[in-house]
Amino acid sequence: MGLEAKLSGDGFFVTQLEAIINWARKNSVYPMPMGISCCAIEMMAAADPRYDIARFGSEVMRFSPRQCDLMIVAGTVTYKMSHVVRKIYDQMPDPKWVIAMGACTSTGGMYRSYSVVQGIDQFLPVDVYVAGCPPRPDNLLNALIHIQNKIGNTRAKEFQNKKRLELNVIQNN
Amino acid sequence: MDRFTKDEIHPKIIQKLLEDSDITIDDALENEMVLNMGPQHPATHGVLRLVLKLDGETVIGCVPDVGYLHRGYEKMAENMSYHEFIPHTDRLDYISPTANNVAWVMAVEKLAGVEVPVRAQYIRMIIAELARIASHLVAIGSFAMDVGALTVFLWTFREREKIMDIWDIVCGARFTNSYTRIGGVANDMQPEAIALIKKFLEGIDNNLIECEKLLNTNRIFIERLDGVGVISKEDALSYGYTGPNLRATGVDFDLRRAVPYLQYDKIDFRIPTFTEGDCLARYFVRTDEIRESAKIVRQCLQLMPSGEIKANLPKRVLPNKAEVYTKMEELILDFMLINFGINPPVGEIYHAIEGSKGELGFYLVSDGKGNPWKCKIRSPSFIHIQSLPHLVKGRMISDVVAIIGSIDPIMGEADK
Amino acid sequence: MELKEIIIQKLNEHFPDAGFEFSEYINEFNIKLDKKFIQPVCKFLKEDSELEFLLCEDITAVDWARRKKRFTVVYHIFTLKHNYRLVLKCDVEEDDCNIDSVTSVWRTSNWQERECYDMYGIKFNNHPDMRRIYMPEDFEYYPLRKEFPLMGIPGSLSLPKK
């Protein structure tokens, strides 16, 4: 690997701080499994030995939003549930990303009915939409790779205190 | 639940507790609190919310709150044809989709008076029993994970993946199958699929014993479950229990035996029952049922005749896709069935099968049109969740997790 | 004597003015009765030692839209002794939209009646906890009534702020 070769030579290397933070961040994404319905089972299957999400450094599923930086919304979000999803999203520390897993999360899918939110982007900023009803676990891993690429390309100035201010407003309310 | 009385505690301590500005209670010995569990909680199997009233760590009251996954199935069913609703049944009890498919089409067939060929009935039995195995594997795995044994989860999911592979070959989808059709099944079972099923059945007994070894001799597992969440026979029936949860209380009731449907009367199988009615008994019933289901599938593979897989009723049953693309008659029939539905006669029926969680029933009212006038889904999980306050009362908060895991609710089905 | 005839005989004997109508459709035995008698009839069917309808499978309602008696509440009950299913039906008018609860007979009917109230707005008298079950508490409509549109009424359910 390139890193070891550098170390055996001079013993140090030069890079941007931003690059190394992104490198570390993108290979240790902690998902918050917002498992709501059918997709949650496929999300569990992505963690099982066959698909093995640990290969991408994301096997540490944390059920506490305070410890996570990626929210995987897996399943149909109803109007009653939407308030809960948003509350949990607000509790996650910045920077944070969202995967909308499955058709009904992304657009309402086959549920054209009175109680289902027709797409969670009505109340959440979504980074990656995953197609399928439910998506196969490989498809979820693909979405994770997309998120990793996105994290890798993030610049530090994009995380100025904008989001922090928003959070304060919510807490004050 | 023995509380200290005021005489047993030194007055200075009580005085100190009352002076503490962080504690906002009037009585120093009053320590009841309300805890909100869910709807996003790893142990609630989805989006079940429980509001628990606690005295220290003891639960003294519980109010379940459901509806966080209410998707309006019954309303949607009134607005679509009988064929269109088949994919929706997959997502009811999403751990065992094929069993729901079978339940729905059997209800519609009863309403429309369709007789299904014997081979299709055997195929339906095979997939329904495989669904039961998959469901119980997930139930045991996630139940063990809830009480702290993570390895079992990985092992049962490994077995479940094999069933997913079988479904993948049988019908082309690994998870949401929509395999059955009104009057039969979508396509015949291929020899590759049968070979895979046989291979799976060879391994399941040993692999199940492997999983059981981790649990049955595990002192922590046994002691956390033994005598927890006990429900008596009478209470269980009054609460409307069916399926494995009822059989764990000692009632020998199984719809496959009581009201035989498909070809279950030709099959030799045992109904496992336990009399304790606690979490451990519910776990044992599930492991035994996996073995019985494997036995049923083995017999089905032997008894399955060759022949047609769809009834010959052009007004009710969808034609084969290959013929739709090449023949005029079939194309017209396909068009009529898809656009106007199967129009069963005016009437109302209730049909239930033994799903993997319990009695899964559909109540259908037809007014002679292409879509049902009313469709009611009788889902076992909904009924079982109702008994949670009874089960958790007087137990510790950590037992709540075990009890939810043991009754195995699936919120997709409970909330509809 | 067949079980069906035993039930007919016993019910007529014990409840002479309940207005029973017996019918059969595809092996299902239906009994229609006056809604005032539903609680005692259910209690009798459960406690009679010869019948023992211990399992209440399902309680639901049907909205007939244009009929004079708009709703029918349907009970499916099952006896483990004879493995026999019975359907009880009671008509409920829209103006007088209530019926007696059978919670005192089967505890499972608690949530099923709540669901029925949530979806159709039929009130169950003497029910211990008559609240909505699926929809939020402040929702004003009854979704399974025929006049309610499939996609709901815009603005009736709130979304969180973005």
Side-chain angles (χ1 to χ4, degrees):
Chain A
M1 289 292 284
L3 208 59
E4 283 86 359
K6 279 275 181 198
L7 287 170
S8 66
D10 306 329
F12 71 94
F13 62 93
V14 181
T15 180
Q16 284 176 304
L17 184 60
E18 210 169 66
I20 199 150
I21 288 176
N22 279 346
W23 169 79
R25 188 177 268 157
K26 83 176 196 189
N27 289 306
S28 62
V29 177
Y30 277 27
M32 157 88 216
M34 188 78 213
I36 299 172
S37 61
C38 336
C39 293
I41 306 298
E42 289 299 72
M43 189 167 61
M44 279 154 82
D48 80 358
R50 175 180 293 186
Y51 295 97
D52 198 10
I53 203 170
R55 291 177 294 161
F56 303 92
S58 294
E59 79 276 21
V60 201
M61 299 226 176
R62 286 281 175 255
F63 288 93
S64 157
R66 298 283 188 209
Q67 301 170 350
C68 303
D69 47 7
L70 169 68
M71 182 148 123
I72 306 175
V73 185
T76 322
V77 180
T78 58
Y79 282 95
K80 197 172 173 181
M81 191 67 195
S82 63
H83 298 271
V84 181
V85 176
R86 179 72 209 194
K87 196 178 256 176
I88 289 172
Y89 177 78
D90 287 339
Q91 287 173 10
M92 283 165 59
D94 281 328
K96 52 195 172 187
W97 293 270
V98 176
I99 292 180
M101 181 181 180
C104 48
T105 321
S106 309
T107 66
M110 60 202 285
Y111 300 106
R112 300 237 353 120
S113 79
Y114 55 92
S115 58
V116 177
V117 180
Q118 305 291 311
I120 60 163
D121 43 11
Q122 289 180 27
F123 63 94
L124 270 189
V126 181
D127 294 288
V128 176
Y129 299 88
V130 189
C133 188
R136 294 176 75 102
D138 356 10
N139 212 349
L140 179 65
L141 297 180
N142 183 26
L144 188 65
I145 295 169
H146 275 285
I147 285 279
Q148 287 184 339
N149 288 342
K150 188 164 182 175
I151 297 173
N153 296 331
T154 320
R155 310 301 300 265
K157 65 182 177 198
E158 290 167 25
F159 295 120
Q160 279 169 358
N161 288 334
K162 199 175 65 187
K163 281 189 177 173
R164 169 68 54 198
L165 280 174
E166 273 175 23
L167 199 64
N168 280 340
V169 172
I170 288 158
Q171 279 165 354
N172 289 339
N173 284 347
Chain B
M1 281 244 269
D2 294 330
R3 216 182 268 175
F4 284 119
T5 55
K6 277 203 168 136
D7 316 327
E8 288 169 319
I9 295 177
H10 198 275
K12 274 189 180 170
I13 298 178
I14 293 177
Q15 191 56 39
K16 201 75 196 161
L17 280 170
L18 286 175
E19 279 170 11
D20 193 335
S21 60
D22 289 341
I23 303 176
T24 55
I25 45 179
D26 305 329
D27 183 0
L29 292 172
E30 182 64 54
N31 49 3
E32 282 181 8
M33 64 178 270
V34 173
L35 180 76
N36 179 46
M37 190 172 174
Q40 171 58 28
H41 187 278
T44 54
H45 289 229
V47 286
L48 171 64
R49 176 172 172 228
L50 298 177
V51 183
L52 301 164
K53 194 172 181 196
L54 302 175
D55 177 14
E57 232 188 307
T58 313
V59 180
I60 53 174
C62 166
V63 180
D65 185 8
V66 297
Y68 287 94
L69 194 57
H70 176 63
R71 295 178 277 195
Y73 268 119
E74 291 169 6
K75 188 81 182 174
M76 279 194 288
E78 288 171 13
N79 288 281
M80 54 178 60
S81 70
Y82 294 92
H83 277 294
E84 262 181 289
F85 196 67
I86 295 173
H88 284 271
T89 57
D90 287 335
R91 281 118 183 127
L92 276 173
D93 173 3
Y94 39 76
I95 313 276
S96 57
T98 46
N100 307 339
N101 292 163
V102 173
W104 170 256
V105 291
M106 284 187 72
V108 178
E109 280 157 8
K110 189 174 171 188
L111 185 67
V114 177
E115 193 72 31
V116 183
V118 182
R119 184 178 172 84
Q121 294 192 18
Y122 275 107
I123 293 177
R124 284 180 184 184
M125 279 163 74
I126 291 172
I127 57 166
E129 293 304 323
L130 284 176
R132 192 187 316 279
I133 296 177
S135 162
H136 286 346
L137 283 171
V138 174
I140 293 168
S142 53
F143 175 37
M145 186 169 68
D146 287 345
V147 294
L150 183 71
T151 320
V152 188
F153 166 77
L154 296 172
W155 289 12
T156 53
F157 256 66
R158 181 194 64 197
E159 291 305 304
R160 180 179 170 272
E161 281 297 329
K162 292 177 188 166
I163 299 178
M164 299 283 121
D165 281 350
I166 294 169
W167 284 344
D168 220 343
I169 291 193
V170 169
C171 57
R174 80 179 225 115
F175 190 73
T176 38
N177 313 77
S178 315
Y179 178 50
T180 55
R181 295 288 181 274
I182 292 157
V185 290
N187 51 280
D188 205 350
M189 206 168 239
Q190 304 86 337
E192 295 91 344
I194 291 175
L196 261 186
I197 294 173
K198 282 184 177 154
K199 201 175 155 209
F200 169 74
L201 291 174
E202 278 167 22
I204 181 70
D205 282 340
N206 280 334
N207 291 329
L208 192 63
I209 291 170
E210 221 173 44
C211 296
E212 280 186 314
K213 270 185 193 161
L214 282 177
L215 296 174
N216 290 4
T217 52
N218 185 339
R219 211 177 132 189
I220 303 172
F221 184 75
I222 301 290
E223 282 185 9
R224 272 195 76 173
L225 306 179
D226 197 8
V228 171
V230 183
I231 187 161
S232 69
K233 213 187 239 186
E234 291 74 27
D235 282 344
L237 277 171
S238 179
Y239 271 118
Y241 268 39
T242 43
N245 294 346
L246 180 65
R247 292 194 277 277
T249 64
V251 183
D252 182 13
F253 174 63
D254 189 320
L255 280 173
R256 289 175 290 178
R257 187 60 58 74
V259 194
Y261 53 93
L262 294 173
Q263 301 283 331
Y264 278 110
D265 44 353
K266 296 203 176 71
I267 304 278
D268 165 45
F269 65 101
R270 194 172 63 86
I271 302 169
T273 47
F274 283 78
T275 48
E276 290 84 359
D278 58 356
C279 292
L280 198 60
R282 291 194 271 271
Y283 155 72
F284 281 136
V285 168
R286 292 211 167 86
T287 48
D288 282 5
E289 275 193 8
I290 293 180
R291 292 204 182 83
E292 292 304 315
S293 290
K295 211 165 98 187
I296 294 174
V297 178
R298 272 186 210 111
Q299 293 178 42
C300 287
L301 286 177
Q302 273 182 358
L303 292 171
M304 188 162 69
S306 55
E308 286 294 310
I309 49 134
K310 266 184 195 164
N312 187 14
L313 284 168
K315 292 271 179 206
R316 299 263 196 265
V317 182
L318 284 174
N320 277 333
K321 260 285 169 281
E323 288 170 357
V324 173
Y325 291 132
T326 49
K327 291 182 183 164
M328 196 63 207
E329 284 278 300
E330 268 77 10
L331 180 65
I332 295 169
L333 284 170
D334 190 71
F335 180 80
M336 295 298 279
L337 279 176
I338 296 294
N339 276 283
F340 303 107
I342 62 168
N343 303 351
V346 180
E348 44 198 276
I349 57 101
Y350 176 85
H351 190 267
I353 71 160
E354 183 74 26
S356 39
K357 308 285 182 297
E359 177 182 331
L360 174 66
F362 287 96
Y363 172 61
L364 290 171
V365 180
S366 164
D367 61 341
K369 300 253 172 56
N371 39 2
W373 178 258
K374 150 107 194 148
C375 157
K376 162 79 202 230
I377 303 158
R378 193 268 186 206
S379 53
S381 300
F382 178 69
I383 310 288
H384 292 160
I385 288 171
Q386 185 179 183
S387 68
L388 272 179
H390 179 83
L391 292 177
V392 302
K393 205 162 191 182
R395 305 299 319 184
M396 293 288 179
I397 185 113
S398 58
D399 294 337
V400 176
V401 174
I403 289 167
I404 297 173
S406 75
I407 68 165
D408 188 25
I410 295 298
M411 294 315 288
E413 172 181 72
D415 286 351
K416 290 178 267 206
Chain C
M1 197 154 59
E2 247 186 289
L3 186 68
K4 200 164 61 186
E5 290 157 20
I6 299 175
I7 295 170
I8 295 175
Q9 193 189 356
K10 286 203 169 198
L11 284 178
N12 278 332
E13 196 177 303
H14 284 84
F15 304 96
D17 22 296
F20 291 116
E21 288 172 35
F22 303 99
S23 61
E24 194 166 7
Y25 184 74
I26 317 188
N27 300 328
E28 275 180 14
F29 188 45
N30 293 275
I31 301 176
K32 199 165 211 175
L33 65 154
D34 192 346
K35 73 173 184 179
K36 285 187 204 106
F37 288 86
I38 186 67
Q39 205 269 350
V41 166
C42 284
K43 198 172 160 63
F44 172 76
L45 286 172
K46 188 194 172 190
E47 286 171 1
D48 189 272
S49 59
E50 216 174 323
L51 303 174
E52 285 188 1
F53 281 90
L54 288 178
L55 190 62
C56 173
E57 289 177 314
D58 190 27
I59 296 173
T60 186
V62 186
D63 179 3
W64 297 108
R66 289 182 195 285
R67 283 194 196 172
K68 186 163 169 273
K69 292 187 172 176
R70 185 168 168 185
F71 300 105
T72 303
V73 182
V74 187
Y75 301 77
H76 288 93
I77 57 179
F78 194 85
T79 166
L80 273 65
K81 202 172 179 180
H82 307 280
N83 289 331
Y84 190 79
R85 186 173 288 126
L86 191 64
V87 189
L88 301 177
K89 288 178 185 170
C90 295
D91 281 341
V92 175
E93 283 170 54
E94 197 181 2
D95 307 330
D96 183 27
C97 210
N98 61 63
I99 185 168
D100 285 342
S101 164
V102 293
T103 330
S104 53
V105 186
W106 299 287
R107 274 190 269 184
T108 177
S109 55
N110 185 331
W111 275 25
Q112 297 186 350
E113 287 174 351
R114 271 178 72 188
E115 187 196 349
C116 198
Y117 166 68
D118 192 2
M119 292 293 137
Y120 290 98
I122 299 169
K123 276 227 160 63
F124 288 83
N125 305 328
N126 305 326
H127 189 281
D129 184 20
M130 197 83 256
R131 283 186 293 131
R132 281 185 170 270
I133 188 161
Y134 287 146
M135 304 308 288
E137 213 38 54
D138 52 354
F139 190 65
E140 291 166 18
Y141 309 94
Y142 300 110
L144 276 185
R145 287 194 178 188
K146 286 287 175 186
E147 76 265 15
F148 188 83
L150 174 63
M151 284 308 288
I153 290 156
S156 59
L157 287 160
S158 66
L159 266 179
K161 271 184 214 145
K162 191 163 183 173

